[in-house]
């Protein structure tokens, strides 16, 4: 098995935000930003794996600050975790006011990408060399997100799931439960 450093596939892109990218509120449309994020995730994962990659899932898309028309958006992507055929690409989105130089962190997200061979089958990816504390932390956080997702799926997708087991938990939320009598 081969191993690659995170730096060997780290990439960034920058794009000036135009009026055509805006929503009805005059801010840059979140869907446009997600599209750019998917593109950089593909590029980063493909650079690491040297193969075509597809998006398997997107985790934790938090829009922290709106992006304005005329700002320069920079996206930075790196491989945070690798499995056998999958990679988690961490993406940081920043917007810069090009007149003042002020930079704002707007978004962070994690895209799980899967490497594909020429026949469309999942294919093995190189392992990851982590060489500083932040890289180790990102790898471990990716493992925790994977475990949490798996645990959540097991808990709620099991055959014997009963909403009645959660009525007390739900009582703290703005929800009214009206289940039919079984």
């Amino acid at each position: 098995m081969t191993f690659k450093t995170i730096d060997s596939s780290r990439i960034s892109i920058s794009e000036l935000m135009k009026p055509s990218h805006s929503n009805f509120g005059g801010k840059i449309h979140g869907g446009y930003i997600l599209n750019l994020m998917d593109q950089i995730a593909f590029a980063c994962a493909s650079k690491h794996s040297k193969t075509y990659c597809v998006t398997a899932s997107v985790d934790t898309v938090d829009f922290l600050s709106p992006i304005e028309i005329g700002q320069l958006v920079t996206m930075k992507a790196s491989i945070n975790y690798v499995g056998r055929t999958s990679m988690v690409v961490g993406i940081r989105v920043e917007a810069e006011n090009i007149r003042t130089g002020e930079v704002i962190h707007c978004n962070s997200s994690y895209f799980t990408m899967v490497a594909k061979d020429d026949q469309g089958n999942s294919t093995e990816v190189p392992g990851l060399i982590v060489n500083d504390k932040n890289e180790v932390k990102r790898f471990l956080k990716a493992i925790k997100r994977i475990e949490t997702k798996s645990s959540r799926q097991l808990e709620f997708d099991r055959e014997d799931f009963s909403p009645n087991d959660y009525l007390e938990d739900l009582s703290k939320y703005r929800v009214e439960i009206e289940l039919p009598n079984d």
Side-chain angles (χ1 to χ4, degrees):
M1 179 194 302
T2 61
F3 289 81
K4 294 175 76 174
T5 64
I6 290 171
D7 284 343
S8 69
S9 56
R10 189 182 312 267
I11 61 173
S12 66
I13 59 171
S14 295
E15 185 173 327
L16 182 66
M17 294 296 105
K18 302 179 223 168
S20 61
H21 303 139
S22 67
N23 59 26
F24 293 115
K27 309 296 182 193
I28 300 306
H29 195 280
Y32 183 73
I33 298 300
L34 285 170
N35 179 46
L36 291 176
M37 292 171 75
D38 192 46
Q39 289 177 44
I40 195 171
F42 166 81
C44 184
S46 293
K47 188 173 180 184
H48 180 80
S49 65
K50 301 282 190 229
T51 64
Y52 177 74
C53 295
V54 296
T55 306
S57 69
V58 180
D59 191 13
T60 317
V61 180
D62 294 321
F63 292 97
L64 306 173
S65 296
I67 300 172
E68 306 287 340
I69 295 167
Q71 287 184 318
L72 183 65
V73 168
T74 299
M75 296 187 181
K76 301 171 184 176
S78 62
I79 302 294
N80 287 1
Y81 166 88
V82 294
R84 192 178 70 74
T85 63
S86 65
M87 299 152 280
V88 173
V89 179
I91 303 169
R92 180 180 175 93
V93 180
E94 298 174 336
E96 179 181 356
N97 180 318
I98 55 179
R99 292 182 299 184
T100 67
E102 179 187 14
V103 176
I104 299 170
H105 176 209
C106 298
N107 186 339
S108 288
S109 189
Y110 306 97
F111 280 58
T112 300
M113 308 297 289
V114 176
K116 298 290 184 175
D117 64 18
D118 292 338
Q119 289 72 45
N121 300 310
S122 297
T123 187
E124 195 166 312
V125 300
L128 200 60
I129 299 170
V130 295
N131 52 29
D132 72 29
K133 183 176 162 181
N134 281 334
E135 291 176 356
V136 172
K137 186 172 20 171
R138 288 179 182 141
F139 196 93
L140 289 168
K141 285 171 76 173
I143 291 170
K144 291 294 183 189
R145 278 193 307 278
I146 292 165
E147 289 173 350
T148 300
K149 181 178 181 180
S150 179
S151 171
R152 188 173 54 243
Q153 286 174 329
L154 286 172
E155 180 177 1
F156 294 106
D157 293 347
R158 66 182 202 267
E159 290 293 321
D160 66 340
F161 172 81
S162 172
N164 294 324
D165 295 340
Y166 296 90
L167 293 179
E168 187 175 324
D169 294 338
L170 291 171
S171 69
K172 300 177 254 185
Y173 297 92
R174 294 177 47 95
V175 61
E176 189 173 305
I177 312 296
E178 296 180 357
L179 297 173
N181 294 332
D182 290 324

